[in-house]
Amino acid sequence: MTTARIDARFAALKAQGRAGFVAYVMAGDPDAETALAILRGLPGAGADLIEVGFPFSDPMAEGPPVQRAAQRGLKAGMTLKGTLELIRRFREGDAETPVILMGYLNPLDTWGLEPFARAAAEAGVDGLIIVDCPPEEAGPLVAALEAADLSLIRLATPTTDDKRLPAVVKGTSGFVYYVSVAGVTGVKEADAAAVAPAVARVKAASGLPVAVGFGIKTPERAAEVARVADAVVVGSALVDEVAAGLEMNEDVTTRVLNKAAALAKGVRGAREGRKDGDG
Amino acid sequence: MNKPLPNDYSAWPDANGRFGEFGGRYVAETLMPLVLDLDAAYAAAKADEGFKAELGSLRTHYIGRPSALYFAERLTEVYGGAKIYLKREELNHTGSHKINNAVGQILLARRMGKTRIIAETGAGQHGVATATVCARFGLPCVVYMGATDVERQKPNVFRMNLLGAEVRPVTSGTATLKDAMNEAMRDWVTNVADTYYLIGTAAGPHPYPAMVRDFQAVIGQETKEQILAAEGRLPDAVVACIGGGSNAIGMFHPFLTDDGVRLIGVEAAGHGIETGAHAASLTGGRPGVLHGNRTYLLQSDDGQILDAHSISAGLDYPGIGPEHSFLHDVGRAEYISATDQEALAAFQQCAELEGIIPALEPAHALARLPEIAREVGKHGVVVLLMSGRGDKDVNAVAEHLGRRI
């Protein structure tokens, strides 16, 4: 059961009394080898879980940073198969860090859901987030993933009301991803005060840890969210480091890992000196 | 909703927005509650006599319906086959069929209490139609248009500005219609409380494909009555161009259960299907998921969406409405294609023979008309959907013909 890696990581975080830091990387950005170097460096920089995006030509829920990252990945020739190969190579040196694959349905659909799910499990993927596959359309994907012991991580959003929430989290495992703003990735800023009750609501409905993402760009904001969530996801701010590194002709891997370390520090230090009952 | 009978093609979609395996609601969770709200609001409006009366009145007095069904005597004579009729949607207010849908959806948006309208556009016809109804009802309007299309459809951009709409050029991706649609979806997901997304074609998440079809079905309904009055019989074939396919499905749908009527859709073959530079999703694509629905798409072996190509900005889209995918697979409708060059030739021929300058979109359907007319034969009747007028295209056509104007 590969979701064991996710469950073990959240149990460990709870024991440590802190939130986790989830770092997002776009496969193939700016090229396969650099993306692999970033992946390999992330646990050392403080990432507790890693989301690996696979590029899609039409990423409808992404803001400009991740759109550009996907374009760079595609330009470098990255594919869904290539993405699994990256993860397989990452797994050669890391058996602990959960890896969540994130993207859009069409590349999976093209591959075939069952053979894709088997290949993903073999490569060492633990779960998937498929942005354009809401519960209403998820039946075939869930069946394929479950057969390969993979988890489909569900998204809850500010528009997911109480009536709909149970259906959204039904039968899910691993954790729930709470999208903290109505919008695309990396544009609006998350409001930690508004996030707290939403996290509590999703947690109560799902009985699972809740990771919060979209609109978290700085260590300070990450720390605020880390006080109320089980994990904090940062994507756009990290892929923007790739863009900045390319633009300024600096080492991309170093820039991304430095940013990740700063964010991880914010998350890890968030609850120090506070009495916090809830992990 | 009852499960449709397998052979009743007019009864789709099912309650989940499926036309067979096509359609559905593949949207981000943030949009899912909105899409469900829209479904409920549309179902209520459809059943409401007040809504129907308001729509009917605007059709008559604002759009200018019914549009004429015109016997094209000279095309008939030149092709030497079936009698050819043109369903004159180009005579509608704003110059294309797009206004039928825009009027329907703006009434729905008002009923839902939405205060801001967004739309995507390719050739600009849907953008103009949306800007028009927004002006009419005093609602702010933002139209997303690929930067490439902004360049090749300048007159329509200016028309939208005159109507008070803001046109936002989209530079992401390939800067054409599909990217404009991505950008409109991004706007919608960001402005969930007040914004209504007025989709221009019979694609997108359910209920859009069914709703846009219903608003466009007035084309086929009128055609049916008019041809019965003129000829005392149904046509042997109806022919329409296909990009997303809203004009075609509006024409086809009322004829779905009339087995004797051939339904023929003409896709844009661009430089030729074999060159890969085309927009013929059914002829040259395979099923996948994009823009909220499962349908035929132009895509790579890795599932990346490919650039479409057509001389006509309105057909330049790598997907197609899901109901066409369904009608294609079950064999109820036939889908063929015409190249840029064939469309250009037909554009000129129609202007010269009938005194009607067609848009480049229906010029694709016109290009296949000679064969269809001859196939159907002397005693038959064919109706071609003239979905828009060509004023917007004169600059582009002049350029292709090497003329400076």
Side-chain angles (χ1 to χ4, degrees):
Chain A
M1 182 74 183
T2 42
T3 53
R5 213 156 17 210
I6 301 174
D7 299 341
R9 183 52 50 102
F10 276 103
L13 289 168
K14 188 165 187 173
Q16 292 170 38
R18 66 173 180 91
F21 170 52
V22 185
Y24 174 95
V25 182
M26 176 63 78
D29 177 26
D31 56 68
E33 291 309 312
T34 309
L36 181 62
I38 293 170
L39 271 180
R40 285 178 170 157
L42 278 174
D48 299 297
L49 290 87
I50 300 176
E51 276 181 22
V52 179
F54 55 97
F56 181 51
S57 52
D58 294 79
M60 282 175 296
E62 313 298 345
V66 177
Q67 286 176 40
R68 288 192 288 257
Q71 286 298 323
R72 290 193 296 267
L74 287 172
K75 215 170 165 187
M78 186 47 64
T79 60
L80 183 53
K81 285 201 166 75
T83 304
L84 293 189
E85 176 59 16
L86 274 185
I87 293 167
R88 192 191 61 73
R89 291 172 68 192
F90 168 77
R91 274 278 170 256
E92 287 170 355
D94 187 317
E96 316 278 301
T97 309
V99 171
I100 314 298
L101 204 56
M102 184 164 184
Y104 294 79
L105 187 57
N106 200 53
L108 276 61
D109 198 68
T110 292
W111 188 326
L113 298 178
E114 281 89 18
F116 159 77
R118 283 194 298 274
E122 276 165 29
V125 170
D126 299 291
L128 277 96
I129 297 174
I130 300 299
V131 179
D132 56 352
C133 193
E136 282 80 354
E137 303 292 352
L141 180 59
V142 167
L145 294 180
E146 277 179 358
D149 282 339
L150 291 175
S151 174
L152 182 64
I153 309 295
R154 290 293 170 78
L155 299 157
T157 74
T159 60
T160 311
D161 58 20
D162 284 330
K163 200 175 91 198
R164 181 167 168 76
L165 189 55
V168 169
V169 300
K170 188 172 165 242
T172 188
S173 56
F175 63 95
V176 178
Y177 188 130
Y178 182 68
V179 174
S180 61
V181 296
V184 294
T185 51
V187 178
K188 282 187 191 169
E189 280 216 67
D191 173 3
V195 164
V199 168
R201 205 162 59 91
V202 174
K203 237 176 135 129
S206 66
L208 290 171
V210 177
V212 174
F214 278 45
I216 302 165
K217 298 173 190 174
T218 61
E220 295 71 32
R221 188 52 54 94
E224 282 173 31
V225 176
R227 289 186 192 111
V228 299
D230 299 299
V232 179
V233 188
V234 179
S236 297
L238 290 173
V239 301
D240 268 349
E241 290 299 312
V242 176
L246 291 172
E247 203 171 298
M248 296 154 110
N249 210 14
E250 287 174 22
D251 185 65
V252 164
T253 308
T254 308
R255 280 198 72 124
V256 174
L257 294 179
N258 284 345
K259 182 78 175 191
L263 289 158
K265 202 173 156 205
V267 171
R268 287 171 184 239
R271 295 187 203 163
E272 276 167 17
R274 288 164 58 100
K275 283 222 162 128
D276 204 325
D278 192 82
Chain B
M1 199 180 293
N2 293 324
K3 203 173 165 52
L5 297 170
N7 59 352
D8 181 1
Y9 301 131
S10 69
W12 300 87
D14 64 17
N16 297 314
R18 293 275 176 172
F19 304 87
E21 66 171 292
F22 300 104
R25 285 180 279 230
Y26 295 90
V27 295
E29 171 60 25
T30 309
L31 287 181
M32 205 52 212
L34 281 76
V35 161
L36 294 171
D37 277 355
L38 179 62
D39 194 14
Y42 175 55
K46 212 166 36 169
D48 181 71
E49 290 304 324
F51 181 82
K52 282 189 253 185
E54 205 177 354
L55 179 59
S57 171
L58 283 166
R59 280 175 172 171
T60 306
H61 304 292
Y62 194 62
I63 302 178
R65 304 207 68 90
S67 67
L69 184 72
Y70 161 75
F71 174 49
E73 199 175 339
R74 297 192 67 202
L75 285 177
T76 301
E77 197 182 300
V78 167
Y79 298 153
K83 287 178 87 168
I84 293 166
Y85 282 84
L86 304 178
K87 177 61 174 166
R88 305 280 307 272
E89 290 297 300
E90 99 281 10
L91 295 176
N92 293 340
H93 180 41
T94 74
S96 83
H97 71 289
K98 291 291 187 187
I99 192 77
N100 299 328
N101 168 51
V103 160
Q105 286 199 55
I106 199 82
L107 293 181
L108 186 59
R110 279 162 52 86
R111 274 174 70 102
M112 293 176 76
K114 301 292 181 182
T115 54
R116 176 178 177 266
I117 306 294
I118 58 170
E120 83 297 334
T121 198
Q125 294 302 93
H126 174 58
V128 167
T130 305
T132 297
V133 297
C134 287
R136 166 68 183 76
F137 288 102
L139 291 170
C141 176
V142 172
V143 178
Y144 290 93
M145 187 169 186
T148 309
D149 293 334
V150 167
E151 202 45 47
R152 60 178 167 177
Q153 301 287 343
K154 278 184 188 151
N156 269 346
V157 174
F158 185 58
R159 286 168 81 194
M160 286 184 264
N161 291 153
L162 283 175
L163 293 159
E166 180 195 344
V167 179
R168 292 192 187 161
V170 176
T171 52
S172 62
T174 55
T176 59
L177 179 54
K178 84 174 170 77
D179 307 290
M181 201 151 173
N182 290 334
E183 217 50 47
M185 295 273 224
R186 291 177 186 128
D187 182 314
W188 197 23
V189 85
T190 307
N191 300 290
V192 291
D194 63 347
T195 297
Y196 183 93
Y197 180 17
L198 208 159
I199 294 185
T201 193
H206 179 69
Y208 284 102
M211 175 169 70
V212 175
R213 173 200 72 199
D214 292 348
F215 289 138
Q216 293 293 2
V218 67
I219 301 172
Q221 287 149 6
E222 285 177 8
T223 299
K224 214 169 184 175
E225 288 168 22
Q226 289 166 320
I227 201 71
L228 284 172
E231 293 286 335
R233 52 167 294 197
L234 292 177
D236 298 283
V238 296
V239 188
C241 65
I242 308 242
S246 69
N247 65 324
I249 203 69
M251 176 61 104
F252 291 178
H253 197 261
F255 290 103
L256 283 179
T257 50
D258 298 309
D259 288 341
V261 182
R262 284 172 66 189
L263 310 174
I264 305 174
V266 184
E267 296 190 292
H271 296 319
I273 302 290
E274 69 290 350
T275 67
H278 62 82
S281 324
L282 289 174
T283 312
R286 62 184 164 77
V289 174
L290 179 70
H291 292 153
N293 58 163
R294 177 178 295 281
T295 193
Y296 275 77
L297 300 170
L298 303 181
Q299 53 180 319
S300 73
D301 293 343
D302 184 44
Q304 307 297 337
I305 308 307
L306 298 175
D307 298 351
H309 166 79
S310 170
I311 189 173
S312 144
L315 305 182
D316 205 347
Y317 180 66
I320 184 168
E323 193 164 7
H324 287 296
S325 292
F326 169 68
L327 295 175
H328 171 267
D329 277 18
V330 298
R332 175 62 187 97
E334 307 159 47
Y335 296 89
I336 55 182
S337 64
T339 65
D340 289 353
Q341 288 307 321
E342 290 170 325
L344 267 175
F347 177 97
Q348 295 170 80
Q349 188 180 39
C350 182
E352 285 163 14
L353 287 179
E354 293 292 348
I356 295 170
I357 299 178
L360 279 172
E361 290 81 13
H364 285 74
L366 281 162
R368 290 280 77 86
L369 201 50
E371 298 102 273
I372 295 166
R374 285 194 283 268
E375 237 175 76
V376 168
K378 277 260 180 224
H379 303 290
V381 173
V382 174
V383 179
L384 180 133
L385 175 47
M386 185 61 75
S387 54
R389 65 179 181 226
D391 306 43
K392 69 182 174 60
D393 294 314
V394 279
N395 284 322
V397 170
E399 202 172 297
H400 281 282
L401 299 178
R403 286 272 298 276
R404 293 188 58 169
I405 54 173

